[in-house]
Amino acid sequence: MALTGRTGLLAALSAIVVLFAPEPGLAVAGLLLLLAALVVVDLLLAGSVRELRLERSGESRVRLGDAVQVTLTVANPGRRRVRGLIRDAWPPSARAQPRRQALDVPAGERRRVVTTLTPSRRGDRESAGVTVRSVGPLGLAARQGSHAVPWTIRVLPPFLSRTHLPAKLSRLRELEGRNPVLIRGQGTEFDSLREYVAGDDVRSIDWRATARRNDVVVRTWRPERDRRVLIVLDTSRTSAGRVGVDPASGDPSGWPRLDWSMDAALLLAALAARAGDRVDFLAHDRTVRSWVSGASRTELLSVMVNAMAPIEAELVEADAEDMVAAIIARAAHRCLVVVLTDLNPAALEEGLLPVLPQLASRHLVLLAAVSDPRVAAMAEGRGTLEEVYDAAAAEYLRSGRRRMTARLRQHGVEVVDALPEQLAPALADAYLALKAAGRL
């Protein structure tokens, strides 16, 4: 049971009457009895909250930054009208609006209540319950109760880098259709025969075809399709750091490195799938967090974003040995392994660097990392003594990343180190460059 503001107002008016009554004691007792009777009657006449039947409907998935509506259908099978307020509770990160709504459901009828969610974080957002307050006809008292009406909204990565996809696909079409090469590379396949043109490499001449046609003919090659790309996402503590500006909300504290890496992984996956390559996905810190394999070209992005949505950075050190073992166990034949991690010299020296030769000897490895734009800004500071010290510290960090990049390349590892907004297109460009060079 709950008392309303009208009850308090009635009590205040009763107190004023008592002040002017000839016998205050009797007046107080009488007014209290009257007020109590009115409250009891009002409570008895209020519609039953327990008898309500609630059902949910609506979308169950939404991209981060977009809005989604969830509809709550309230059915009143009872004999009395239910009039009052309803609150559909969600976690704060779901940003549910409005928080409370008026409710009026006549006996035997149903009403729909719509709540709009604009989530601010990835992952699964579960409803916390529905609370209904049914006010009596006098407005003095109300019945209140809660109902568990489960519903889960999965908030997917926003894939903001998809705006770069048309330009990258245009480059891919040029690479595949318009620029066949004359010399066969490790990652190329036969494309076609054509007549010899002055300036063509003589090594490309197909002598058998030349003898049949009585004309000099050369072979052309194109980047091989149906190659395998394994995208590995590091979800350890180094991926939890926030860099850049949150593109969904504009928050200057930034996005976690993990989310920037996810965005780059989705652009690479979309591009590689259009190129005819097979894409697999592995998320790992100390153990495998997610694994996607065998998805078709049309289903790949949907499967990947659904697998990425609940992944959060774990505040643990990465187990590089276990990660390499997981890669080798899942990729028996040579493929392109793209590792999205932080180019942190201390973490790499203790983790990935010692086991990297084992991985690089079997696969072509590409390491992609997002750099912190605040470090670059600090390195330019010269105005005050404090800024000079900050610039020295920033330059020390940058030189450490450059030295680590050089060491990785000595092991035959390709490295992409880019600012947050540039990581996704830079990684796509690196993939296209490897494909054009016939290294896949």
Side-chain angles (χ1 to χ4, degrees), residues 122 157 230-236 239 257-266 280-290 304 307-309 311-313 318 323 327 337-342 368 423:
R122 276 186 306 100
L230 175 56
I231 301 175
V232 182
L233 187 66
D234 179 9
T235 60
S236 65
S239 65
R257 279 190 168 90
L258 179 63
D259 290 67
W260 291 113
S261 297
M262 286 181 177
D263 196 55
L266 290 172
D280 296 332
F281 170 74
L282 173 70
H284 191 283
D285 41 65
R286 298 196 66 83
T287 186
V288 174
R289 297 295 176 187
S290 182
M304 281 188 63
M308 288 177 174
I311 297 176
E312 297 291 347
M323 182 185 74
I327 294 172
V337 177
V338 180
V339 182
L340 290 147
T341 185
D342 184 25
L423 178 63

Side-chain angles (χ1 to χ4, degrees), residues 367-429:
L367 188 145
V370 57
S371 59
D372 192 343
R374 290 172 295 187
V375 174
M378 287 172 58
E380 302 298 326
R382 297 293 188 274
T384 63
L385 182 61
E386 183 179 354
E387 289 180 349
V388 171
Y389 280 119
D390 289 341
E395 191 56 41
Y396 176 78
L397 293 175
R398 296 170 71 182
S399 63
R401 294 175 75 92
R402 289 193 292 266
R403 288 193 300 269
M404 179 54 65
T405 298
R407 292 180 64 182
L408 290 170
R409 286 174 174 158
Q410 288 176 357
H411 289 284
V413 177
E414 298 292 328
V415 179
V416 173
D417 186 17
L419 294 173
E421 295 81 1
Q422 300 170 5
L423 178 63
L427 180 58
D429 288 340

Side-chain angles (χ1 to χ4, degrees), residues 56 89-91 94 117 123-129 149-154:
R56 290 192 188 274
W90 290 81
L117 310 179
D124 292 336
R125 300 290 169 263
E126 297 181 355
S127 61
V149 192
W151 194 261
T152 301
I153 297 290
R154 172 154 290 189

Side-chain angles (χ1 to χ4, degrees), residues 116-331:
T116 301
L117 310 179
T118 312
S120 60
R121 292 178 55 190
R122 276 186 306 100
D124 292 336
R125 300 290 169 263
E126 297 181 355
S127 61
V130 178
T131 301
V132 179
R133 176 175 290 183
S134 176
V135 181
L138 300 178
L140 299 177
R143 299 185 183 190
Q144 182 168 304
S146 296
H147 295 257
V149 192
W151 194 261
T152 301
I153 297 290
R154 172 154 290 189
V155 187
L156 307 174
F159 190 18
L160 300 175
S161 61
R162 64 183 179 273
T163 56
H164 297 284
L165 187 57
K168 304 307 175 187
L169 290 176
S170 178
R171 287 191 55 192
L172 178 64
R173 286 190 292 270
E174 292 180 0
L175 177 64
E176 290 187 328
R178 301 180 186 175
N179 297 324
V181 295
L182 295 175
I183 302 301
R184 183 179 185 179
Q186 182 179 5
T188 57
E189 61 184 3
F190 175 73
D191 181 60
S192 61
L193 295 172
R194 65 169 174 80
E195 293 183 0
Y196 177 85
V197 178
D200 285 346
D201 195 310
V202 295
R203 292 176 295 175
S204 63
I205 297 176
D206 188 321
W207 295 107
R208 291 185 180 181
T210 297
R212 289 194 300 268
R213 298 188 183 187
N214 294 323
D215 196 1
V216 181
V217 176
V218 295
R219 290 182 177 183
T220 61
W221 307 85
R222 67 179 180 182
E224 190 169 355
R225 300 171 68 87
D226 198 26
R227 309 305 290 171
R228 188 178 182 188
V229 179
L230 175 56
I231 301 175
V232 182
L233 187 66
D234 179 9
T235 60
S236 65
R237 66 170 182 83
T238 57
S239 65
R242 290 180 171 268
V243 293
V245 176
D246 188 334
S249 64
D251 186 352
S253 64
W255 242 12
R257 279 190 168 90
L258 179 63
D259 290 67
W260 291 113
S261 297
M262 286 181 177
D263 196 55
L266 290 172
L267 180 62
L268 175 61
L271 182 61
R274 295 289 186 90
D277 293 336
R278 183 160 61 93
V279 181
D280 296 332
F281 170 74
L282 173 70
H284 191 283
D285 41 65
R286 298 196 66 83
T287 186
V288 174
R289 297 295 176 187
S290 182
W291 169 243
V292 173
S293 178
S296 67
R297 170 181 162 180
T298 56
E299 297 176 346
L300 177 63
L301 285 182
S302 176
V303 174
M304 281 188 63
V305 295
N306 194 57
M308 288 177 174
I311 297 176
E312 297 291 347
E314 300 291 333
L315 300 182
V316 296
E317 292 290 343
D319 188 340
E321 291 186 6
D322 190 79
M323 182 185 74
V324 170
I327 294 172
I328 294 175
R330 289 164 171 79

